[in-house]
Amino acid sequence: MFPQPNRGKLSLFSGSIPTSQKQRHYPFKGISWHQGTIKYLLFLSCLVISITNLYPAAAHQVEVAADVGGTLHIEPNDNPRAGESSQVWFALTRKGGKVIPLAQCNCQLAVYAEPYAAGEPPLLEPQLESVAAERYQGIPGAEVVFPKPGIYELQLNGKPVSGARFKPFKFKFEVTVAGGSTQDTQNQRDVNGDLGEGESQNLPLWAIALPILGFIGILVVVLRSMRGSGE
């Protein structure tokens, strides 16, 4: 007969194995779970940042007609303000990327206040001049002073001069003009007759709601993470 204490020791030792295993494995599971949570939080943060950046990043509008592409840019920073001079330029390129300078294009620029009726005369007809902007040389550009805040449509019509090879085109660009800092427009209605200066500069509802929803989503995930680690 073997003494019984050995069984007790063996039983005690064997009973401690699950405890040590639990101590070994659960921390790793917790680390893995928290890593997944961190990745998910980072993903949500990047998503919210990228979406909220869409609104201010709306610049360099591009239009294509026939074999000509046109890119609109407005200085400064594609953010024109009412009552202030803004330089408008158009980068015109043929299919393949060859630049069309103003010397090769019979171009006219017309500015309309939205909304406007068919056949209505343009609000402005700025004179186009050859300008150098970024990597482009001799492209059409003009100085434009938008009278009031609101939404405008810029129409650029072009035909090739003798010797130039591209098809006639007509581009339409929508431009939002904010209230100018050099004029008192607090009580002035915008050019569209709907909004005041304060309203015209407000972000759209979705641009405000998305960051809030993203923050709520992150908060929910953090709270669940805290509850899970507590259990």
Side-chain angles (χ1 to χ4, degrees):
M1 296 290 295
F2 292 96
Q4 295 298 325
N6 286 338
R7 290 185 180 179
K9 290 182 180 179
L10 183 59
S11 176
L12 180 62
F13 179 74
S14 61
S16 65
I17 292 176
T19 304
S20 61
Q21 287 179 345
K22 180 184 284 189
Q23 292 174 348
R24 276 190 222 133
H25 290 292
Y26 275 91
F28 286 105
K29 289 182 180 179
I31 292 173
S32 176
W33 191 87
H34 285 296
Q35 286 176 345
T37 303
I38 292 172
K39 291 180 180 178
Y40 182 67
L41 291 176
L42 290 175
F43 170 76
L44 280 178
S45 301
C46 293
L47 181 63
V48 171
I49 292 172
S50 63
I51 292 175
T52 53
N53 284 338
L54 285 177
Y55 183 78
H60 285 69
Q61 299 181 49
V62 179
E63 292 286 334
V64 177
D67 59 345
V68 179
T71 301
L72 166 68
H73 183 77
I74 303 177
E75 299 286 355
N77 303 320
D78 289 288
N79 185 29
R81 304 181 70 87
E84 301 178 10
S85 179
S86 300
Q87 185 184 46
V88 177
W89 54 262
F90 302 88
L92 303 177
T93 56
R94 290 179 54 189
K95 187 180 297 184
K98 187 176 181 179
V99 177
I100 301 174
L102 181 60
Q104 296 181 8
C105 179
N106 182 12
C107 296
Q108 291 86 35
L109 175 62
V111 180
Y112 293 86
E114 292 278 16
Y116 66 93
E120 180 181 337
L123 181 67
L124 302 170
E125 291 183 287
Q127 182 67 37
L128 291 171
E129 299 178 352
S130 296
V131 300
E134 296 184 359
R135 60 186 179 88
Y136 304 102
Q137 298 292 328
I139 58 175
E143 294 290 330
V144 179
V145 179
F146 297 97
K148 297 179 182 180
I151 300 175
Y152 295 81
E153 182 178 276
L154 273 60
Q155 292 187 10
L156 181 68
N157 298 285
K159 297 179 181 180
V161 300
S162 179
R165 295 183 178 179
F166 60 88
K167 296 179 181 179
F169 61 85
K170 182 177 182 178
F171 295 140
K172 297 181 179 181
F173 301 93
E174 186 177 278
V175 176
T176 300
V177 177
S181 58
T182 60
Q183 60 179 171
D184 184 11
T185 56
Q186 289 184 355
N187 298 320
Q188 180 183 10
R189 298 179 68 84
D190 76 348
V191 71
N192 310 111
D194 297 323
L195 304 174
E197 181 203 12
E199 294 177 348
S200 66
Q201 296 186 22
N202 286 339
L203 291 175
L205 183 60
W206 62 264
I208 299 174
L210 280 175
I212 297 175
L213 293 176
F215 176 77
I216 293 175
I218 294 174
L219 184 61
V220 170
V221 173
V222 171
L223 291 175
R224 288 182 178 177
S225 172
M226 295 175 62
R227 290 179 182 177
S229 59
E231 294 175 357

